[in-house]
Amino acid sequence: MKKFRDIFIWTLVVGYAILAFGFVAEKQKALVCNNVEVIIVDSLKNRFVEKENILRLLERRGIKLIGRSFNDIDLSKTEAIINEYPPVKKAEVYKTANGSIVIDLKQRNPILRIFDRNNETFYIDEDGYLMKTSGNFTSHVIIANGNIGVNFQVTSKTNVTKFKGKQKIFADLYFLSKYIANDKFWNAQIQQIYVNTSGDIELVPSVGSHVIVFGDYSDCETKFDNLMSLYKNGLPAKGWNTYETINLKYKGQVICTKRE
């Protein structure tokens, strides 16, 4: 009898669940989109994307949401269109029970702004992808300029991490700026990156009137460790404006040139 009773109870539970899910599904089909909510999760940090940008993008691509039945809205297609928008890193689109379409998105996060020798400018984001500037917002990140030549198209699908040869400088600038951004002290101390006519990277500090000749990205951590040692043990005694240049490019050496 107990076994029969258990089977009967589970049959009722499963039957109720099927009816409930069926009711919810029918209710979802009957719902009409009455609101579009765009949630930009990192809007306090960057403002490359605004709600109006997304709504205009969907309108241009023939996607109408307000007033349409939920059953007629292709969420996957809508999501794919938004994810193609260059300033967007990741978007998710879903329906709610109250008739809203919610668009959750995260913006791409630039860590470096490039000004090439022709004064053309673009960003490199935290994942190494190129990113065009926006008239809506300027991100306050470290700037790299000087002898930088661009012979490629700036698109959001271009990643500099694999660049070699003459274009390797962009990979070096990316990895270097990422290292600086992830270190609290160096992020505050290094205010600009410059590429000189020899192709060497130079760093311009916030404190001190010296120029730091860094060379390329190789041995990055060791170079910064050597520079920190000089900052802690050498410059306090001799004065922060004693040297005109601090050269870190040669392995295992720190060469300081005094100001004349």
Side-chain angles (χ1 to χ4, degrees):
M1 286 293 295
K2 185 177 183 301
K3 183 177 181 181
F4 177 77
R5 185 182 61 189
D6 290 344
I7 292 173
F8 178 72
I9 291 172
W10 276 108
T11 302
L12 287 177
V13 171
V14 172
Y16 175 79
I18 292 172
L19 287 174
F21 285 134
F23 175 77
V24 171
E26 287 301 317
K27 187 178 179 181
Q28 285 281 320
K29 287 182 181 179
L31 278 175
V32 171
C33 177
N34 55 47
N35 178 55
V36 177
E37 185 178 358
V38 180
I39 300 173
I40 304 171
V41 296
D42 52 352
S43 59
L44 293 179
K45 186 174 184 180
N46 292 312
R47 295 194 301 277
F48 292 107
V49 183
E50 297 179 353
K51 177 178 179 178
E52 292 72 21
N53 302 137
I54 300 302
L55 297 181
R56 283 197 297 268
L57 170 67
L58 294 175
E59 185 178 345
R60 288 197 303 268
R61 298 290 296 270
I63 301 294
K64 181 183 177 183
L65 299 176
I66 299 291
R68 290 187 65 191
S69 166
F70 268 13
N71 204 38
D72 295 332
I73 295 174
D74 188 335
L75 293 182
S76 296
K77 181 179 179 181
T78 304
E79 194 173 276
I81 289 172
I82 298 171
N83 277 314
E84 289 174 1
Y85 188 47
V88 172
K89 183 173 182 177
K90 178 66 176 176
E92 294 183 355
V93 183
Y94 56 91
K95 307 169 185 176
T96 67
N98 64 359
S100 291
I101 295 291
V102 180
I103 301 170
D104 272 339
L105 64 84
K106 184 178 181 181
Q107 302 169 93
R108 293 171 61 195
N109 182 39
I111 59 171
L112 175 69
R113 185 169 183 177
I114 301 283
F115 284 87
D116 73 4
R117 63 170 71 103
N118 297 316
N119 211 35
E120 297 295 326
T121 183
F122 55 90
Y123 296 109
I124 299 179
D125 77 6
E126 61 187 347
D127 298 313
Y129 287 94
L130 303 185
M131 182 177 175
K132 291 183 178 180
T133 56
S134 167
N136 297 330
F137 177 72
T138 299
S139 183
H140 297 291
V141 294
I142 194 167
I143 288 174
N145 62 353
N147 189 40
I148 304 173
V150 177
N151 62 0
F152 49 81
Q153 189 175 2
V154 177
T155 74
S156 60
K157 296 185 183 300
T158 302
N159 190 295
V160 303
T161 59
K162 304 298 182 183
F163 278 13
K164 296 180 180 179
K166 292 182 178 180
Q167 300 303 333
K168 181 180 176 293
I169 185 63
F170 292 96
D172 281 4
L173 291 173
Y174 162 71
F175 288 116
L176 178 59
S177 62
K178 191 169 185 176
Y179 184 94
I180 292 170
N182 289 331
D183 185 285
K184 187 175 181 180
F185 177 81
W186 296 121
N187 193 40
Q189 170 66 347
I190 306 302
Q191 66 174 2
Q192 183 182 348
I193 300 173
Y194 182 81
V195 180
N196 65 26
T197 54
S198 299
D200 287 328
I201 295 172
E202 298 179 352
L203 307 179
V204 180
S206 298
V207 179
S209 58
H210 52 275
V211 172
I212 303 159
V213 182
F214 202 81
D216 60 15
Y217 176 72
S218 63
D219 298 317
C220 173
E221 188 171 355
T222 300
K223 290 175 182 177
F224 275 118
D225 286 346
N226 291 339
L227 181 59
M228 179 62 78
S229 179
L230 179 66
Y231 275 5
K232 287 181 176 180
N233 304 314
L235 293 189
K238 295 182 178 294
W240 283 81
N241 296 321
T242 300
Y243 300 116
E244 184 173 4
T245 62
I246 299 172
N247 194 328
L248 307 171
K249 67 179 287 188
Y250 301 107
K251 191 167 185 176
Q253 300 182 59
V254 178
I255 303 173
C256 300
T257 304
K258 283 189 175 181
R259 192 175 302 280
E260 295 181 356

